[in-house]
């Protein structure tokens, strides 16, 4: 039994790590393509509308989780996020399609994250959430450093497609390995989850994970 529990926790940790890593990619792609592919086509007063509307849809995660149910939400939202992320890499050269897929990936990540947090608490694996988040951010920083400051999800060509399929596939596989405990009432996630989804996650995924920006500000 302890061995089985440890193996189960390992899958939760792997999924948390890959989920946060891909979530970084999803946010940075969504923000970049909102500017590059859409902002030039809109008048000044409307430039902020598409990214704001997309993010508002993402914030409907909690109603979506309640509607679908915790057991199905983890698999459904995870699979949909994997599909949008992988297809975004495959069609990276198609401006309009890649923009739509990046918006869908960000929405679906925001829907998957609370489903994962809820499921981890139900399964008694909430201890993997913090290390998984740290590892995911660390992998983002390491990957960006290896690419000399470039963002991996904003690559083009065959390398973008292969990377998106490999990373997305690994996430999708690990997410499907998780087992969600059904309960009569939702498990309490706690206020720490709000901090994760809110200011901390925003800063980590935008400023702190941007090697070039940190270097420019700090002079390091």
């Amino acid at each position: 039994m302890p061995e089985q529990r440890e193996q189960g926790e390992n899958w939760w940790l792997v999924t948390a790590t890959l989920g946060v890593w891909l979530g970084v990619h999803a946010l940075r792609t969504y923000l970049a393509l909102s500017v590059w592919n859409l902002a030039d086509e809109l008048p000044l007063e409307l430039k902020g509308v598409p990214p704001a509307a997309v993010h508002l849809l993402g914030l409907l995660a909690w109603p979506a989780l309640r509607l679908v149910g915790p057991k199905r939400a983890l698999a459904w939202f995870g699979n949909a996020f994997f599909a949008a992320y992988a297809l975004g890499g495959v069609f990276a050269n198609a401006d309009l399609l890649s923009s739509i897929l990046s918006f869908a990936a960000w929405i679906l990540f925001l829907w998957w994250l609370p489903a994962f947090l809820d499921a981890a608490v139900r399964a008694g694996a909430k201890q993997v959430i913090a290390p998984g988040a740290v590892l995911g951010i660390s992998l983002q920083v390491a990957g960006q450093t290896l690419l000399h400051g470039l963002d991996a999800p904003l690559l083009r060509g065959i390398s973008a497609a292969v990377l998106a399929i490999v990373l997305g596939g690994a996430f999708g596989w690990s997410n499907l390995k998780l087992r969600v405990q059904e309960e009569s009432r939702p498990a309490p996630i706690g206020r720490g989850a709000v901090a994760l989804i809110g200011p901390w996650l925003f800063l980590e995924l935008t400023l702190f994970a941007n090697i070039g920006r940190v270097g420019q500000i700090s002079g390091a």
Side-chain angles (χ1 to χ4, degrees):
M1 282 295 285
E3 225 176 277
Q4 287 182 345
R5 182 172 181 180
E6 185 179 347
Q7 288 178 355
E9 286 185 7
N10 289 341
W11 281 116
W12 286 99
L13 179 60
V14 169
T15 306
T17 300
L18 290 171
V20 171
W21 191 9
L22 269 58
V24 176
H25 289 180
L27 175 59
R28 294 171 72 78
T29 307
Y30 144 70
L31 292 175
L33 296 188
S34 295
V35 175
W36 295 349
N37 292 353
L38 292 182
D40 290 342
E41 309 296 328
L42 297 173
L44 181 62
E45 61 273 12
L46 297 179
K47 289 183 187 297
V49 172
V54 168
H55 194 68
L56 285 174
L57 287 173
L59 295 180
L60 296 176
W62 298 106
L65 176 60
R66 283 186 167 275
L67 181 66
V68 173
K71 190 166 186 177
R72 288 179 296 180
L74 186 65
W76 288 11
F77 298 160
N79 288 341
F81 173 48
F82 149 60
Y85 177 88
L87 288 172
V90 172
F91 296 103
N93 290 322
D95 287 350
L96 179 59
L97 183 56
S98 63
S99 297
I100 293 171
L101 289 168
S102 75
F103 295 164
W106 179 238
I107 293 169
L108 291 165
F109 170 73
L110 289 178
W111 287 24
W112 169 82
L113 184 59
F116 175 83
L117 295 173
D118 181 85
V121 172
R122 293 176 186 276
K126 63 182 179 180
Q127 65 275 10
V128 309
I129 294 172
V134 171
L135 287 170
I137 296 294
S138 299
L139 287 170
Q140 153 64 18
V141 172
Q144 195 175 26
T145 303
L146 288 172
L147 291 171
H148 303 288
L150 294 177
D151 269 326
L154 297 179
L155 296 174
R156 294 292 181 268
I158 189 66
S159 59
V162 170
L163 185 65
I165 291 171
V166 170
L167 289 180
F171 165 78
W173 173 258
S174 65
N175 189 66
L176 288 176
K177 297 290 285 185
L178 305 180
R179 295 293 176 263
V180 183
Q181 305 292 325
E182 286 282 13
E183 291 182 3
S184 57
R185 292 184 303 172
I189 294 175
R191 295 181 182 178
V194 177
L196 175 68
I197 300 172
W200 179 86
L201 189 61
F202 179 80
L203 287 173
E204 287 286 0
L205 271 58
T206 53
L207 175 61
F208 300 152
N210 190 327
I211 301 299
R213 177 64 64 184
V214 171
Q216 181 186 35
I217 293 173
S218 66

